[in-house]
Each structure stands twice: as C-alpha cells, then as structure tokens.
Amino acid sequence: MATHEDFSEPILEGEGESDYERYLNTVGLLALQKKPDQWVHRDELLFQTVHQSSELWLQLAWSDAEAATEHLTGGEIPPALRLLRRSTLCLKYATSQLDMLEHMSPWEYQEIRKVLGHGSGFDSPGWREIRRVVPALGQAFHALRDQAGLSLVDVYVKGREHEELYQLAEALTELDERINFWRIRHYKVVARVIGDSVVGTQGTPVEVLGRLIHHVFFAELWRVRNELTALSQEQQKA
C-alpha cells in the first residue's frame, strides 16, 4: 500500500524548520555575526559578512588545490586540472567580495576598527592554508615535467605535443595570478579605507602590503615568458 510522503516536513536531524536549513546549518551560520545591539556601527555586519564568506571560499580553494596535488602525485593530470579551475574560481570570488568593503565610509570605519583588537588579514586561516598547499603543486608539476624529460621551455615550445603538461603549467600560472590579484585588491582596499601611510591593526605598516603584491609562488612560470620571447627573437635572427 502506497504511503504519501509529506515533503513539507524535515527528515534530517538538526536545528531549523526545513531540511534546507538543517543541512546548511543556517541557524548556526547566521548566528555567527554580531546582532544589532552589539554593533558599534551597523557596517560591522558588512565587514563580518565579507570576511566570513571569504573564509568559506578560501577553505574550498585550498582543499581543492591540495586534492589536485594528490592527483598529480599519482600522475593524474585531468582531475587535477578540474580541481585547479575550481580553486582559481574560488579565489576570484574571494577577491570580488572585497569590493563591498569600499562601500564603507573611511571615517565611520574607524569606529569598527576600534573593536577589531589585533585582528589582521595576515591571520586569515584560509590564506595560511593557501600558502601551505600551493608550493606542493609546483613540486608535483615539476616532478611530472622531469619524468617527461622536458625543460620548462620545452613544455611551451612543444605544448601541442604535451598538451596536459602545458595546460597544467597554465593552470598553475592562473592560480598564482589570482592569488596576486587578491594581494593587489586587498592592498588597494586597505589604502582606500584607512590610507597607504598608516599602521594596520597588527602594527604592520600598510606600505608592507604594497611590497607584497610583487610576491608570486611560481616565479619560474613567469620567467619562462621572458625566455620564450628571447628564444623567438634568436630564431628570427638566425
């Protein structure tokens, strides 16, 4: 005998009136932000929302990057590429969210700054994990390149013959570029909100952030462009 299932009733354990709320734990999630009676300024909700959601995207970014490394260690390039594309997109989302911070008044933000303690973007667990897992990606790539008997220049010059390695080199470059874009965007947001010649909440001069925008993880992948240009010019002269 058929029974009628009431789809309006939740079947999962947890808090919330629906399975949507219970699965996503929206009760706990939306309780993470300060309530109006706790604000020193209403833009604390904006500030917390941007940074908390960024940590979620960064968690997915480093988790996928770490899994991609595991695939590369096993010689599996296609699944690694899929995960690297996702990781890069996560970084794009985390970067675009910084736009919201520029919708705060620089003067009114000073009220929020007073309650941040020594909190700083340098302490972001998401970025700490990004810094941990990304170097291993480069090591895994170069191991595969060495196994193929190719120099980095060869990967590009003979890219049509070694398509997967070429695509992997470009995926790592894209990931590195997205990390760099975040550094640049973060620096510009900080400079726009509190200034570029002041000291941050952790005692670090904002100008230090400006110097960090030149940091990359895969310097060799950027240098090889110069080598390819020089090689092409040499061949034209020959």
Side-chain angles (χ1 to χ4, degrees):
M1 179 177 173
T3 59
H4 176 70
E5 183 175 356
D6 185 355
F7 291 99
S8 66
E9 291 296 321
I11 59 175
L12 300 178
E13 297 292 330
E15 293 184 272
E17 297 180 359
S18 68
D19 280 337
Y20 176 90
E21 295 169 280
R22 293 184 179 187
Y23 179 76
L24 294 177
N25 192 18
T26 57
V27 173
L29 180 65
L30 299 178
L32 296 176
Q33 297 77 42
K34 285 186 174 182
K35 298 299 180 280
D37 61 349
Q38 299 172 304
W39 295 338
V40 296
H41 187 280
R42 72 177 315 277
D43 280 353
E44 279 196 83
L45 180 59
L46 182 157
F47 190 85
Q48 286 192 310
T49 298
V50 169
H51 288 86
Q52 289 175 348
S53 55
S54 290
E55 291 298 336
L56 292 175
W57 284 120
L58 292 174
Q59 178 176 239
L60 180 56
W62 72 256
S63 177
D64 278 355
E66 188 170 53
T69 301
E70 294 175 1
H71 281 298
L72 293 180
T73 301
E76 302 168 338
I77 296 180
L81 286 172
R82 177 168 55 84
L83 290 170
L84 285 174
R85 293 187 191 103
R86 290 190 352 183
S87 182
T88 298
L89 193 55
C90 289
L91 293 170
K92 182 177 180 180
Y93 291 152
T95 302
S96 65
Q97 290 179 164
L98 294 176
D99 292 355
M100 285 295 294
L101 297 178
E102 293 187 344
H103 289 271
M104 296 186 299
S105 159
W107 178 248
E108 293 173 356
Y109 170 70
Q110 296 299 326
E111 291 300 309
I112 298 174
R113 196 178 181 208
K114 294 174 183 176
V115 299
L116 297 181
H118 294 155
S120 167
F122 286 112
D123 295 326
S124 161
W127 283 107
R128 184 167 58 244
E129 289 300 297
I130 289 287
R131 293 192 296 270
R132 179 182 66 84
V133 304
V134 168
L137 278 167
Q139 294 168 8
F141 162 69
H142 287 299
L144 290 172
R145 177 183 60 72
D146 287 339
Q147 288 175 18
L150 301 172
S151 68
L152 194 50
V153 169
D154 290 336
V155 170
Y156 283 88
V157 173
K158 302 176 181 179
R160 297 296 178 181
E161 302 168 40
H162 304 276
E163 186 67 32
E164 288 187 348
L165 279 175
Y166 168 78
Q167 291 294 338
L168 181 56
E170 286 298 278
L172 293 181
T173 303
E174 176 71 12
L175 184 69
D176 208 8
E177 188 174 45
R178 281 294 166 190
I179 293 172
N180 191 243
F181 282 165
W182 183 89
R183 291 184 189 276
I184 295 171
R185 190 71 188 97
H186 181 245
Y187 166 70
K188 296 304 294 184
V189 168
V190 171
R192 178 168 170 173
V193 175
I194 67 172
D196 61 2
S197 301
V198 300
V199 175
T201 49
Q202 206 173 63
T204 304
V206 172
E207 63 187 34
V208 171
L209 293 177
R211 292 197 292 270
L212 286 174
I213 66 177
H214 300 293
H215 177 271
V216 293
F217 284 97
F218 308 125
E220 71 280 7
L221 286 172
W222 297 99
R223 286 195 302 267
V224 76
R225 270 75 179 164
N226 299 317
E227 297 174 41
L228 292 169
T229 298
L231 178 62
S232 175
Q233 291 174 341
E234 290 174 6
Q235 291 178 343
Q236 290 176 25
K237 294 177 182 178

